[in-house]
Amino acid sequence: MGEKGYDVLKLVEQGERCYVSTDYIRGTQMARLLRREPDLEKAQLFRWMKDLLEQLERFHRCRGNPCYQYVNPYSAIISGEDGLCLLDISSDDQHEILRQMRRRPVREHFLSPENQYYQRAEPAEDIYGIGRTLQYMLTMARPEPPLTVGEERKLKKIISKCLDKGSKRGFSNVQEISDQFSRVYKKSGTEKKNSNRRKKKGKRRWLPLFLAALSAAGIGWAAFYACSDRSPQETEVKQGKAFESEEGKNGDRGAEFAFELAMLYFLELRDYERSGMYFAIASGEQKTAKEYEDLSDYLKKGSISGDADPETLLRRMEEHIPDTEDARYYFCLLRGYEQMDMRESAEDIIRIGEHCLALDGWKTWNGSEEREKELRLLLADAYGQEGEWQRAADCCTEAVRQDLPAEEKEQIFQKTALLYEKMGNMEKAVEICGQGIRETGRSAPLWLLLIRLQCKTPSVDREDCAQTVREGLKQLPELAQEEEFRKLQEEYGIRIEGEQIWVGE
């Protein structure tokens, strides 16, 4: 199962009070477990739901009536012996998981809109997190036997009341949720039986249930993939196999699934050959799918079959967008315009990109720092082509705020500083370099750019330039061996004698 060690909360009841301490167990985050092993007994799924509610209800009864704040599938640890336990978020060993839970995709899906930075510690926020977590469990799991229509209806009602903050019909405490859930749990009759039942039948039936669950949960496909922490590669393998069954190919639902799978290949994997193949399958029932097939062909080959040109195709696709609030369709167009000459496509990229950012659907679909970065940098290039340097720099500033690898941040900081240099704002360019060095660590390109910018600016005191060189060489001694550094030495008269450094005369 790939279990790891976790510090979890140990909650002990004594009368009306509950006392909390820390325990150490071997287990797996529920998000990862459901991603890897979605097939499970219905009884097990219900027990995890029951454990989650019991753990939070006890925690709320501890001294001071604390709130947990991080209620989501990443803080729920599943252990074979202990069932579901809550992560001890105060433990020093949980830094990486806390970082994971503070990423925007997780925050946007498991925190209420008013609490996007964990700033509110109140029961209503924990209840909201319960609703989202139950919603996630229903969507990800493939229980055997499947949930009955009555069970689904009752669980969705519980979820709806959890998410309905501030209204009279919502829950006021976790005990109320437990009481309502216990009625579903008892009536389900989910004793541990039928454990030898073959799961093949369940796998044959999972597709329509999964689609229905996604629709009921109100989670867009691509956003859900980002939130679930499942790689697109893992997802497409499972879904491709499901589609290839006879049940998946038949009727409108088969065309709908083929279109969604094509979108996944197109947007997440950039596999335009396979996206074109699945768009072609969907085109039998969905006329607009043919246009997306042509776009996939264009991005794969650099040309379009027949007499159509890319610009005509893209404008026709924009006219035929079936859901103008779904940001995915606009993002497809941006991929097409990006392939064209930027001198011809910059205006369209700016128009569609800014429209995309303004959509409510962008927040729903955009569960990925990578996607936010892609759009912001594309807009930066388009604004740069139009000579709007400040807007280009602003886009880079937004892009670098995403949770990205240090190497990517380094490149964006470098690009931003160069844009401010073009505007003649050397002070801001230097500031951006300094910020980039602090955030990315040992960055030779940013140190070299910082040294060049300061040495190039006559108003910067030469001793300040020398001090920057000293600091750069102290952090990165190998900087002295860089060809670019040697060019700077020659151009600006940088002399090094032992520990003494001079710049200019």
Side-chain angles (χ1 to χ4, degrees), residues 36-215:
R36 194 167 57 238
E37 302 173 19
D39 296 301
L40 75 167
E41 294 180 355
K42 179 165 69 172
Q44 184 65 73
L45 176 65
F46 275 25
R47 278 194 294 272
W48 288 347
M49 291 179 175
K50 184 172 180 287
D51 287 349
L52 175 69
L53 295 172
E54 286 182 351
Q55 292 281 305
L56 285 166
E57 192 273 326
R58 289 175 185 172
F59 185 75
H60 282 197
R61 285 195 285 116
C62 290
R63 185 186 298 275
N65 303 114
C67 292
Y68 187 69
Q69 291 188 278
Y70 290 84
V71 183
N72 59 60
Y74 299 92
S75 64
I77 308 301
I78 305 296
S79 169
E81 296 180 358
D82 302 285
L84 184 149
C85 300
L86 293 175
L87 193 74
D88 181 0
I89 55 177
S90 65
S91 169
D92 293 337
D93 295 331
Q94 314 302 345
H95 175 75
E96 185 58 35
I97 298 178
L98 275 174
R99 181 175 175 273
Q100 180 185 37
M101 293 190 291
R102 286 168 179 163
R103 294 180 66 182
R104 188 170 63 180
V106 177
R107 287 189 281 107
E108 287 189 347
H109 284 82
F110 296 100
L111 296 180
S112 71
E114 309 84 44
N115 183 41
Q116 284 297 291
Y117 297 95
Y118 295 98
Q119 69 269 31
R120 296 188 178 186
E122 54 190 40
E125 295 298 335
D126 280 2
I127 290 171
Y128 186 92
I130 290 171
R132 283 297 194 190
T133 303
L134 294 178
Q135 195 176 64
Y136 179 92
M137 294 169 77
L138 282 181
T139 307
M140 289 296 291
R142 301 202 293 264
E144 178 62 28
L147 271 62
T148 66
V149 174
E151 288 166 349
E152 279 198 45
R153 185 175 63 251
K154 290 172 183 176
L155 286 172
K156 287 175 185 175
K157 184 176 180 181
I158 291 173
I159 291 169
S160 177
K161 292 177 70 174
C162 286
L163 302 181
D164 198 2
K165 290 178 56 188
S167 75
K168 293 181 180 179
R169 64 183 296 273
F171 293 113
S172 60
N173 56 60
V174 181
Q175 183 62 56
E176 291 179 1
I177 309 174
S178 294
D179 292 343
Q180 192 160 328
F181 175 77
S182 65
R183 293 195 285 272
V184 183
Y185 184 69
K186 289 176 182 177
K187 288 183 179 181
S188 68
T190 51
E191 292 80 21
K192 194 171 183 179
K193 59 184 179 181
N194 300 323
S195 58
N196 295 321
R197 180 179 296 185
R198 294 172 66 194
K199 292 185 178 180
K200 183 177 180 181
K201 179 181 177 182
K203 290 182 180 179
R204 293 277 301 174
R205 298 172 60 187
W206 79 269
L207 174 59
L209 290 173
F210 181 70
L211 287 169
L214 273 180
S215 177

Side-chain angles (χ1 to χ4, degrees), residues 321-338:
I321 286 176
D323 183 353
T324 55
E325 288 300 315
D326 191 336
R328 295 180 303 164
Y329 295 107
Y330 295 98
F331 214 80
C332 289
L333 298 179
L334 288 171
R335 288 272 177 86
Y337 281 114
E338 182 182 16

Side-chain angles (χ1 to χ4, degrees), residues 256-268:
E256 176 188 345
F257 186 69
F259 190 88
E260 294 295 344
L261 189 55
M263 280 292 217
L264 176 65
Y265 275 115
F266 189 100
L267 293 168
E268 306 295 337

Side-chain angles (χ1 to χ4, degrees), residues 16 33 64 147 161 290 313 343 383:
E16 294 297 316
L33 184 58
L147 271 62
K161 292 177 70 174
K290 179 63 173 67
L313 171 65
R343 290 172 295 183
Y383 278 124

